[in-house]
Amino acid sequence: MTGERVLPPLRGWAEGGGLLRIDTHSVFVRQDGPEGGAPVTLVHGFPTSSHDWAAVVPALAAAGLRVTTLDLLGFGESDKPRRHRYSVLYQASLVEEVWRRCAIGSTALVAHDYGVSVGQELLARDPARITRMAWLNGGLYPDLHRPVPVQRLLHGPLGPLLALFTTERQFAATLRSVLGRSVHEEDVHDLWAAASRDGGHHLAPRLLRYIDERRMHAARWTAALEGYAGPALFVWGPADPISGGHVLTRIRERIPQARVVELAGPRAVGHYPQLEDPEAVATALTGFLAP
């Protein structure tokens, strides 16, 4: 049994944005909402794309926000160079360059999964630039991160070989294993289409180096997270086996001043709150971000 479809078709989402040439790479960027609206930047997770946010963006735009989304390098519609040494630090620099090209100064920031590490790096570099910070399920504390078995394998020495044989069926099974609620088959297909475009699923072992980066930069990134002086919101799915309720417990201990929206109850949300319960996520974000 699957839930109702929540995402607009991937093709339409891609047609609403364009490509920026940054360094030697093409990067997909999309902007929604009034040009003079308060800026907010949404950063997606692994292994999907900015399309993850497509069910939430209309509500943010309708609330008067100027919403910027992008596909990080190696994801979605952006280039997927085979020999690139992917790093969170480079992705953060890419976000900063998008801000420069789009004339975005201060901005609110919303991050999910892999994107939380990008967000932590951006906070560590220039916290004054981030007006508000919202987090969705992600490995904010590397010692609490619990990658699923297939991620452990792809991150290991056999990862490049295993990635060659990844199928949509395997992708869907792994995705569903981290959800608390069902997601429509067509939504899952579009997530796979974004991840696998131009052979992107073969890059998983390279992209998964973020696990090592989290350990390497743990002290700096934790300090950026816990020391951020601006308003902070956590919209969290506790049923997530990777970074669920066990992470939320520490967040409440270490960042007691933050606002927490826990999507719990009989149908608790898992790793993808913006897909599993986009209405609740949109409500939480607009209430937090709208001027």
Side-chain angles (χ1 to χ4, degrees):
M1 183 176 179
T2 60
E4 296 181 359
R5 183 158 201 195
V6 300
L7 294 175
L10 177 61
R11 177 174 294 183
W13 175 258
E15 290 174 349
L19 296 175
L20 289 181
R21 195 71 176 171
I22 298 177
D23 295 334
T24 59
H25 310 299
S26 293
V27 176
F28 175 80
V29 178
R30 174 175 170 138
Q31 292 193 291
D32 294 88
E35 290 189 10
V40 55
T41 306
L42 312 183
V43 186
H44 67 82
F46 171 90
T48 46
S49 73
S50 62
H51 188 232
D52 295 355
W53 301 109
V56 174
V57 165
L60 301 183
L65 296 162
R66 181 61 168 174
V67 186
T68 300
T69 48
L70 70 151
D71 290 346
L72 299 170
L73 192 69
F75 298 85
E77 296 294 313
S78 291
D79 278 354
K80 300 178 176 180
R82 297 291 185 270
R83 298 184 181 277
H84 183 77
R85 185 169 181 81
Y86 291 92
S87 76
V88 169
L89 273 62
Y90 182 82
Q91 303 282 22
S93 295
L94 185 149
V95 173
E96 289 178 321
E97 182 61 14
V98 168
W99 287 341
R100 189 185 74 81
R101 299 282 188 92
C102 295
I104 297 170
S106 297
T107 179
L109 189 61
V110 181
H112 170 244
D113 186 72
Y114 179 95
V116 307
S117 296
V118 179
Q120 286 175 285
E121 173 61 22
L122 290 166
L123 278 184
R125 293 182 185 185
D126 190 1
R129 187 173 195 172
I130 310 303
T131 58
R132 291 173 174 266
M133 189 71 234
W135 310 93
L136 282 68
N137 293 60
L140 294 165
Y141 294 98
D143 62 306
L144 298 182
H145 183 231
R146 300 173 180 170
V148 295
V150 69
Q151 288 179 322
R152 294 180 187 276
L153 291 170
L154 287 168
H155 185 238
L158 295 178
L161 179 62
L162 294 172
L164 295 175
F165 298 97
T166 302
T167 66
E168 180 173 356
R169 183 176 180 179
Q170 292 165 337
F171 172 89
T174 299
L175 177 71
R176 294 189 189 283
S177 73
V178 303
L179 302 178
R181 298 185 181 184
S182 57
V183 174
H184 197 279
E185 291 177 1
E186 291 185 37
D187 287 337
V188 175
H189 173 73
D190 273 355
L191 296 179
W192 165 254
S196 62
R197 189 193 69 81
D198 197 24
H201 55 301
H202 297 159
L203 298 177
R206 288 178 174 267
L207 293 167
L208 281 164
R209 289 173 180 161
Y210 75 83
I211 294 174
D212 304 316
E213 288 184 272
R214 282 177 173 169
R215 298 186 187 116
M216 183 184 308
H217 300 288
R220 182 166 169 268
W221 289 355
T222 298
L225 169 70
E226 296 179 355
Y228 177 60
L233 169 70
F234 295 84
V235 184
W236 219 259
D240 173 14
I242 302 173
S243 50
H246 61 290
V247 177
L248 199 55
T249 298
R250 184 173 293 180
I251 289 167
R252 286 184 164 124
E253 292 173 352
R254 300 278 187 87
I255 318 173
Q257 73 278 13
R259 186 185 308 179
V260 175
V261 176
E262 183 176 2
L263 303 177
R267 298 180 63 240
V269 165
H271 188 68
Y272 274 86
Q274 69 273 51
L275 299 179
E276 298 175 60
D277 196 345
E279 184 176 350
V281 172
T283 298
L285 290 179
T286 53
F288 178 69
L289 298 169

